Amino acid sequence: RIKASTAHVRTLEDLGIIVNDLARRAQEMFVAVVSDANQRVLEVQVHSIGSRKETGYYPEAMAGAILAVPGATQVDLVHNHPDGSRQLSDPDKRVAEHLRELLDRTGVSMNRMAVVSSPELTGSATVGSFVISDASGVSATVDLEKTRGGFKIPVTERMMEYRASDTTLPMNANDVVKLLTTVSQGDGEP
């Protein structure tokens, strides 16, 4: 659970308060903040954790998880740029548009896509704060001291489940070497 000073996402600053942990991450993460018709946050969904420069996006899986939240009517997408960049990249914008299309006519609308940037790397904000920006270029500075509070917001993480039918997949480095050796020698199907 997240403990935040607000349980609603009415402004870009509110969104920053909810996802403030992203400002301290050294690797990119992608989250969805799912809320109801009154803009009360129902759930924060962690969809991917990547490297220092990128993270994977899975819009179909994201749409399914968002639509599974009872009472959901809107979602804000957020990810962080550990390098301090405030601009959404072209791939960020394409993923947002793809998700917007997937959610079209489902009863859940996409509000915005935003990016959190670390002020320590850009020098663009005071120490103890960070910047959140949306696709239109609007930014808000969020004071970390003001983010903690008494509202508890559930957090879920998208995880793959192991199925017995997956036993043919390589599970460790030795399995990968065996698979590659078999394929390269032409001894049959892996």
Side-chain angles (χ1 to χ4, degrees), residues 68-132:
V69 177
T73 62
Q74 48 199 328
V75 63
D76 290 279
L77 304 178
V78 187
H79 91 107
N80 62 322
H81 285 166
D83 67 0
S85 172
R86 291 185 187 186
Q87 303 297 317
L88 290 169
S89 67
D90 288 338
D92 294 341
K93 293 174 186 175
R94 284 193 295 274
V95 167
E97 187 55 36
H98 187 185
L99 187 62
R100 187 180 313 278
E101 290 169 2
L102 288 171
L103 293 175
D104 189 35
R105 296 187 302 270
T106 65
V108 176
S109 62
M110 196 176 96
N111 286 341
R112 71 189 129 213
M113 171 94 165
V115 64
V116 169
S117 56
S118 170
E120 290 81 14
L121 297 174
T122 62
S124 59
T126 60
V127 174
S129 66
F130 65 92
V131 176
I132 184 167

Side-chain angles (χ1 to χ4, degrees), residues 20-174:
N20 74 80
D21 189 50
L22 291 178
R24 294 184 275 277
R25 298 294 179 127
Q27 64 199 74
E28 284 199 11
M29 291 179 65
F30 193 88
V31 302
V33 179
V34 183
S35 52
D36 66 14
N38 295 315
Q39 298 173 315
R40 183 177 57 89
V41 178
L42 301 173
E43 187 173 273
V44 174
Q45 299 176 341
V46 177
H47 285 282
S48 65
I49 301 172
S51 68
R52 293 182 63 78
K53 299 246 180 218
E54 64 186 5
T55 189
Y57 296 106
Y58 309 95
E60 290 81 6
M62 290 167 44
I66 292 163
L67 293 171
V69 177
T73 62
Q74 48 199 328
V75 63
D76 290 279
L77 304 178
V78 187
H79 91 107
N80 62 322
H81 285 166
D83 67 0
S85 172
R86 291 185 187 186
Q87 303 297 317
L88 290 169
S89 67
D90 288 338
D92 294 341
K93 293 174 186 175
R94 284 193 295 274
V95 167
E97 187 55 36
H98 187 185
L99 187 62
R100 187 180 313 278
E101 290 169 2
L102 288 171
L103 293 175
D104 189 35
R105 296 187 302 270
T106 65
V108 176
S109 62
M110 196 176 96
N111 286 341
R112 71 189 129 213
M113 171 94 165
V115 64
V116 169
S117 56
S118 170
E120 290 81 14
L121 297 174
T122 62
S124 59
T126 60
V127 174
S129 66
F130 65 92
V131 176
I132 184 167
S133 307
D134 67 16
S136 68
V138 173
S139 294
T141 300
V142 180
D143 183 346
L144 287 169
E145 296 269 331
K146 296 179 182 176
T147 61
R148 300 284 184 239
F151 295 102
K152 295 178 182 174
I153 300 168
V155 177
T156 60
E157 186 172 341
R158 186 180 70 80
M159 299 181 76
M160 303 298 278
E161 291 186 18
Y162 175 77
R163 289 182 241 155
S165 62
D166 291 339
T167 57
T168 58
L169 297 175
M171 300 304 284
N172 58 47
N174 289 333

